[in-house]
Amino acid sequence: MRVLVLGDLMLDEYLWGRAERISPEAPVQVVEVVREDLRLGGAGNVVHNLVALGARVSICSVIGADPNGAVLRQALQEQGVELAGLFEEAERKTSKKTRVIAANQQIVRIDRESRSEVTEHSQKAMLAYLEANAPGFNVIVVSDYLKGVLTPEVLAAVCRTGRELGTPVVVDPKGSDYVKYRGATLLTPNRKEAEIASGVAIVDQQSLETAAARLLGSLELDALLITRSEAGMSLFRSELPAVHIPTVAREVYDVTGAGDTVISVLSLGLACGLKLPEAAWVANVAAGIAVGKLGTSVVLPQEIVAEVGHSQKDADAKIKNLDVLSHLVAGERARGKRVVFTNGCFDLLHVGHVKYLQKARQFGDLLVVGLNSDASVRRLKGERRPLIEESERAHILAALDCIDFVVLFDEDTPVRVIEAVQPDVLVKGGDYSLDQVVGREIVEARGGRVELVQFVDGRSTSRIIEKILASY
């Protein structure tokens, strides 16, 4: 799917640190910065989400001809974004928001930005780009942060073009005057924004429907999706009953960028042919994942599938490929969880395996198990092994409550997995000595440790095989 994103681009800088003392100079916390992170923000976060979901994205926006603008352009290029519609102004400041975070809490935010409207020259360049390229897109996403890029003229042209081409125009609105969005296909305000734009205090179901009807009628929209935090989402369409989508109960760490996730998933769903209620339902699942992460973060397709699988209590939801796993584990570690890793063939699972895995789980908050593939087992154990093929072994392991994730690997050792997961605790069987543990140096280099666990005496796959052969 080809997606055009119009809106205010910015950089989101995160300074992660420790706040363990008060400054002697003033009654404020002293934050010792240990890590810095620079991400695409504003409409850039929408772009990042869409790229992560597999879309081919083009951007239409204006940035400053300054160092931050150069960094932003480079970041977009690295995402594979088409930049013919990205224009620069010599006197404009590229917006950058710096957030200082300690103990998983945002301490302060520092904004450096432009809020003035773009020049007439930039506006004409955007309109010319839109006229020449709009027919090639499956959906147009408008991400308004009120930084001056989306002038009334640009917005009117976008909505008019979408109607003429039959291309959905999905808008994440801002401000109190929504007249500038008249004629869009769909708006996605939150409850507070809908209250301000409609002039109706939303306190119950009736007032919610009154506000939605007023916005739908006055703005000539096809639909309106109001996001309502812990109350979920409500979808309104003319002449159709409202659709209320409840939120999924989960721990909320940060709502930053959740709206960007909603509009990204919703828009791509429409482009792919989903009906509006279906697209909204998937967007609701994605929003639940997004608020469980710190900072502006993307949601991957595999995470959405995993979340739905988890809600269905399907053990397959624990089985991940390495790319997705590393992303998920990094998020869990950012929330303060201690990650434990162990590995093995686990062919013909027995009580010795189970007790070993239960003990491994006790060393931390989350247990990742690396599982040798069939090819790897054959090289290690001989051509007659494994007895149970890899997908079945993975599913059996995933059914154990003590295991959080399972990942298959083809190599003889799990070094590549350990490098990607970066566990805090590496667990191996007691038949190893510390100097024999593969990956020990990787774990200890980042302050982790190795734990050796004794297996249950007399329990092994080989002995079970021998017993079966002797008896049968």
Side-chain angles (χ1 to χ4, degrees):
M1 295 292 106
R2 293 201 64 209
V3 183
L4 174 62
V5 177
L6 290 95
D8 302 287
L9 291 167
M10 59 190 73
L11 289 171
D12 281 340
E13 181 182 43
Y14 291 86
L15 304 180
W16 308 81
R18 293 186 290 266
E20 299 174 344
R21 57 194 178 97
I22 302 298
S23 171
E25 304 166 359
V28 295
Q29 290 178 298
V30 175
V31 178
E32 179 188 353
V33 176
V34 297
R35 178 164 62 93
E36 300 180 25
D37 192 7
L38 196 61
R39 309 176 186 179
L40 291 169
N45 192 42
V46 176
V47 169
H48 197 184
N49 270 274
L50 286 164
V51 170
L53 291 165
R56 294 172 57 199
V57 184
S58 298
I59 187 73
C60 185
S61 186
V62 180
I63 59 175
D66 55 11
N68 284 334
V71 170
L72 203 156
R73 180 182 288 274
Q74 178 64 30
L76 290 168
Q77 286 176 335
E78 291 173 356
Q79 292 284 326
V81 178
E82 193 271 315
L83 301 180
L86 182 60
F87 307 101
E88 292 183 356
E89 290 182 5
E91 302 302 319
R92 191 172 186 83
K93 182 185 294 184
T94 302
S95 296
K96 182 178 181 180
K97 296 180 180 179
T98 300
R99 297 173 176 88
V100 181
I101 298 173
N104 291 339
Q105 295 292 324
Q106 190 173 143
I107 305 298
V108 68
R109 192 181 90 182
I110 304 160
D111 289 2
R112 288 158 283 192
E113 61 186 13
S114 294
R115 296 185 183 179
S116 58
E117 284 193 357
V118 296
T119 65
E120 185 176 351
H121 177 77
S122 295
Q123 185 174 277
K124 287 181 178 178
M126 292 178 68
L127 293 174
Y129 174 84
L130 182 66
E131 182 179 359
N133 295 277
F137 297 105
N138 302 102
V139 65
I140 299 173
V141 181
V142 177
S143 180
D144 194 355
Y145 278 81
L146 297 180
K147 306 304 180 187
V149 170
L150 297 172
T151 64
E153 292 80 7
V154 169
L155 287 168
V158 170
C159 295
R160 182 177 63 252
T161 300
R163 293 284 176 183
E164 292 172 353
L165 297 174
T167 303
V169 176
V170 185
V171 181
D172 185 3
K174 290 292 186 296
S176 58
D177 182 12
Y178 279 18
V179 173
K180 57 188 176 181
Y181 305 124
R182 178 178 283 125
T185 306
L186 170 67
L187 261 61
T188 64
N190 60 34
R191 182 188 61 80
K192 186 64 176 179
E193 291 168 339
E195 282 185 335
I196 294 171
S198 66
V200 177
I202 299 175
V203 294
D204 53 23
Q205 194 68 32
Q206 184 175 349
S207 57
L208 174 66
E209 294 179 0
T210 299
R214 184 173 296 183
L215 291 173
L216 277 172
S218 64
L219 300 178
E220 303 171 16
L221 305 172
D222 289 355
L224 179 75
L225 181 70
I226 300 179
T227 57
R228 303 166 58 205
S229 300
E230 67 279 358
M233 299 178 177
S234 295
L235 176 65
F236 299 93
R237 294 164 291 173
S238 299
E239 311 301 327
L240 289 171
V243 177
H244 301 289
I245 307 169
T247 189
V248 178
R250 66 185 297 144
E251 194 166 5
V252 175
Y253 285 88
D254 195 346
V255 297
T256 305
D260 297 334
T261 298
V262 169
I263 197 171
S264 301
V265 176
L266 182 70
S267 301
L268 196 54
L270 293 177
C272 291
L274 290 183
K275 301 296 184 183
L276 254 175
E278 296 170 333
W281 183 83
V282 180
N284 188 55
V285 173
I289 298 168
V291 298
K293 303 180 179 184
L294 272 174
T296 49
S297 301
V298 301
V299 174
L300 301 176
Q302 298 93 331
E303 291 181 288
I304 297 174
V305 173
E307 181 67 22
V308 176
H310 179 70
S311 69
Q312 300 298 321
K313 302 188 185 303
D314 186 351
D316 283 335
K318 294 183 180 180
I319 304 169
K320 305 294 182 187
N321 67 46
L322 191 55
D323 289 339
V324 173
L325 177 65
S326 60
H327 183 83
L328 293 174
V329 170
E332 295 296 330
R333 182 179 291 107
R335 300 183 189 113
K337 291 189 177 181
R338 180 176 297 165
V339 180
V340 182
F341 176 83
T342 191
N343 65 281
C345 301
F346 299 104
D347 189 20
L348 202 57
L349 194 71
H350 54 73
V351 68
H353 290 141
V354 174
K355 289 185 177 294
Y356 168 80
L357 292 167
Q358 290 172 334
K359 180 65 176 177
R361 180 63 170 75
Q362 293 174 9
F363 291 116
D365 307 299
L366 183 147
L367 176 60
V368 178
V369 175
L371 181 64
N372 292 78
S373 68
D374 288 349
S376 177
V377 174
R378 279 193 292 272
R379 290 194 300 270
L380 295 172
K381 303 284 188 179
E383 285 300 319
R384 296 188 178 186
R385 299 282 295 275
L387 300 174
I388 310 296
E389 61 97 12
E390 60 190 41
S391 63
E392 292 186 20
R393 287 185 286 123
H395 191 93
I396 291 169
L397 285 172
L400 295 177
D401 286 343
C402 62
I403 294 176
D404 295 278
F405 296 112
V406 178
V407 58
L408 282 156
F409 63 94
D410 282 320
E411 300 84 1
D412 292 345
T413 73
V415 168
R416 187 170 65 94
V417 181
I418 293 170
E419 287 175 339
V421 172
Q422 291 291 310
D424 302 291
V425 183
L426 175 59
V427 178
K428 287 298 291 182
D431 51 342
Y432 283 81
S433 61
L434 281 176
D435 59 348
Q436 293 175 317
V437 177
V438 172
R440 173 190 171 192
E441 297 83 0
I442 299 170
V443 174
E444 291 182 342
R446 59 180 304 275
R449 70 180 194 273
V450 175
E451 295 284 353
L452 301 180
V453 175
Q454 294 297 326
F455 281 111
V456 176
D457 289 340
R459 297 287 186 261
S460 73
T461 300
S462 298
R463 291 192 180 186
I464 294 173
I465 294 171
E466 291 168 1
K467 183 176 181 180
I468 292 171
L469 288 172
S471 301
Y472 299 98

